[in-house]
Each structure stands twice: as C-alpha cells, then as structure tokens.
Amino acid sequence: MTQLSVNLNKIALLRNSRGRDFPNVVEFARKFIGLGVPGITIHPRPDERHITRQDAFDLKTALADYPEVELNIEGYPSDDFLKLIEQVKPHQCTLVPDDPNQLTSDHGWDFTRHADELDTILKRIGDAGVRTSVFLDPDPEQVRLAAQSRANRIELYTEAYASAHGTDRQSEVHEQYRAAAALARELGLELNAGHDLDLDNLPGFLTIPEILEVSIGHVLTVECIEMGMPTVVNRYLDICANSA
C-alpha cells in the first residue's frame, strides 16, 4: 500500500500572506492526521516564502504525539538546510535540486555531474539517522547512478506524467515511469513519487508496483477548497490503499 504524505507548503503560504499565524501549520497537520493521513511533508526554502525553519521545529514537536506519522523534509542541500535536518531529525529527507529563486521544483538530480557531492551529503544525512531520498527524473541512467550512491530511496518527479495524462502520450510516458521504477527496484532502491499528482491521475500512476509514498500538496489544497478536506483526503487514502 502506498503512503500519502500531505505537503503543507500552501497552508504556510496562505498564513504568510496575511502576516499572522492563521491558518496555523501545526493545526492543519493535526487536521490531516485526524482524517487518517500517515505522512506530512514540508519544503523550507531559503526565503521562507511558505514553510519556515520554525515550522519544522514546531511540527517535529507536535508529531511526537503521533509516532505513527512520518515527517518528510525536502529541499536543496545547502549547509543551512543540512543543519536543520541534523537538528530536527525528520524520518526522511528528500533532496531536491532547486535554485533558491525557483518557483517550484522542475527537474531531478543529474548524478553524472553531482554524484560525489551528493554522496557526501547523503552520508551526512544518514549519519544523523535520517532516511534519504533524492528527486529523480525517470531516466534509466540516472536510476543506475542513484543506485550506486548512498540514497535509500528515489522520488520520481512526476510532472511529465501529469502533463501527459489524458493526452495521446499518456501510455508512452507512463511506461517510462514504469520502466524506471522496475529498474530501481531491481537495483535495490525504494520508491517515492511526487509533483502535480491529483485525484484524476494518481490511480493510473499507482498501477506501478511498490510506490511507497506519494507527496501531494498544491493540487490537494485546491481540491480541499473545492470539495472539502474529509472528501478529498478520504478519496486519496482510498486510491493509495488500492495501489499496486
């Protein structure tokens, strides 16, 4: 069964837009957990445009009440970010190759250029007792190189799949992800996935076997506004429960 991890970035963005602590990130984490969500994801950026460093500490404290719920912190591995990981010690740290000024994540790591750098970083995170995951395109060469690194998991960047969903390229692109996932499993890598997955395209994606976790935030937040949190969360949990 696939685990759903709800990304709280957009809740934090709404809060920051008004200059007061409403909506409260921890309170919304508790709401999602109360609906059965087993994972929480945050992506603190250097400019703290949404999630802040303090949010990371506050969530770590709050989630002590929910030992079954996983905290995943994703981000670019600057020294400040790595120090945050060492202090908070989330269950998982997902490394994303974002420029600080990027609007959102838009590509996976290139191990042909960054293998040595990433291995040093992955060792540092692993030494802190944190499971490691790296954001990756569904590229067989990159999967092979990631398997030679210290990464415990890869997170397949699913923008290409989401963009192709409902078009005549849907089957072709889905097969690229299926092949990359099969290769990763063969090489001993565990699998996560995320980016622009939603209620419409997620069921098809999760016909790929053994996706352990999907991280969903932006679209899920919009869907909650449209349909209500209980309806949306229950639909996601049902999809994940019926995954391959």
Side-chain angles (χ1 to χ4, degrees):
M1 186 177 79
T2 302
Q3 176 170 291
L4 171 66
S5 189
V6 171
N7 188 313
L8 298 177
N9 288 1
K10 289 303 182 290
I11 303 299
L13 185 66
L14 284 170
R15 174 201 60 195
N16 294 355
S17 71
R18 293 300 297 268
R20 52 189 283 250
D21 192 19
F22 179 80
N24 180 273
V25 169
V26 170
E27 190 175 298
F28 263 80
R30 292 185 187 276
K31 288 178 186 290
F32 281 116
I33 293 166
L35 292 169
V37 168
I40 297 294
T41 290
I42 55 174
H43 186 155
R45 292 179 180 272
D47 61 6
E48 297 192 327
R49 71 185 74 161
H50 35 61
I51 289 293
T52 67
R53 291 175 59 86
Q54 188 59 50
D55 288 329
F57 289 104
D58 291 346
L59 283 165
K60 177 66 174 181
T61 299
L63 292 183
D65 295 335
Y66 307 95
E68 74 284 5
V69 174
E70 178 184 287
L71 177 61
N72 171 49
I73 301 182
E74 60 183 26
Y76 181 81
S78 66
D79 192 55
D80 282 346
F81 177 82
L82 293 174
K83 287 176 181 175
L84 177 68
I85 297 300
E86 290 168 332
Q87 291 173 307
V88 175
K89 296 186 186 299
H91 300 89
Q92 177 175 269
C93 174
T94 302
L95 300 180
V96 182
D98 280 355
D99 181 276
N101 297 315
Q102 268 184 240
L103 190 61
T104 187
S105 307
D106 64 5
H107 63 285
W109 286 98
D110 182 355
F111 271 87
T112 61
R113 296 175 56 198
H114 300 291
D116 291 342
E117 171 192 354
L118 282 169
D119 232 35
T120 300
I121 292 165
L122 291 164
K123 181 180 186 305
R124 180 173 170 180
I125 296 169
D127 287 347
V130 177
R131 184 174 71 235
T132 56
S133 179
V134 291
F135 213 50
L136 212 67
D137 296 313
D139 179 335
E141 180 183 10
Q142 295 298 330
V143 172
R144 290 189 183 92
L145 292 172
Q148 296 170 19
S149 76
R150 297 175 188 268
N152 303 123
R153 294 186 181 184
I154 59 171
E155 178 175 335
L156 290 172
Y157 168 54
T158 51
E159 169 61 27
Y161 168 79
S163 296
H165 184 73
T167 74
D168 57 5
R169 296 192 63 244
Q170 179 174 330
S171 295
E172 173 193 349
V173 174
H174 189 250
E175 185 54 38
Q176 292 172 4
Y177 282 90
R178 184 180 294 276
L183 179 60
R185 291 193 303 274
E186 178 186 329
L187 297 175
L189 284 169
E190 295 184 324
L191 287 162
N192 297 336
H195 204 85
D196 282 351
L197 294 172
D198 60 28
L199 288 172
D200 291 329
N201 63 37
L202 183 61
F205 187 82
L206 290 186
T207 60
I208 298 173
E210 297 180 48
I211 302 293
L212 298 179
E213 175 185 299
V214 288
S215 174
I216 306 177
H218 177 81
V219 176
L220 183 147
T221 304
V222 174
E223 290 166 334
C224 284
I225 293 170
E226 292 177 334
M227 293 179 275
M229 284 178 64
T231 297
V232 170
V233 169
N234 286 335
R235 286 181 62 184
Y236 274 110
L237 292 175
D238 285 346
I239 293 167
C240 289
N242 291 305
S243 58

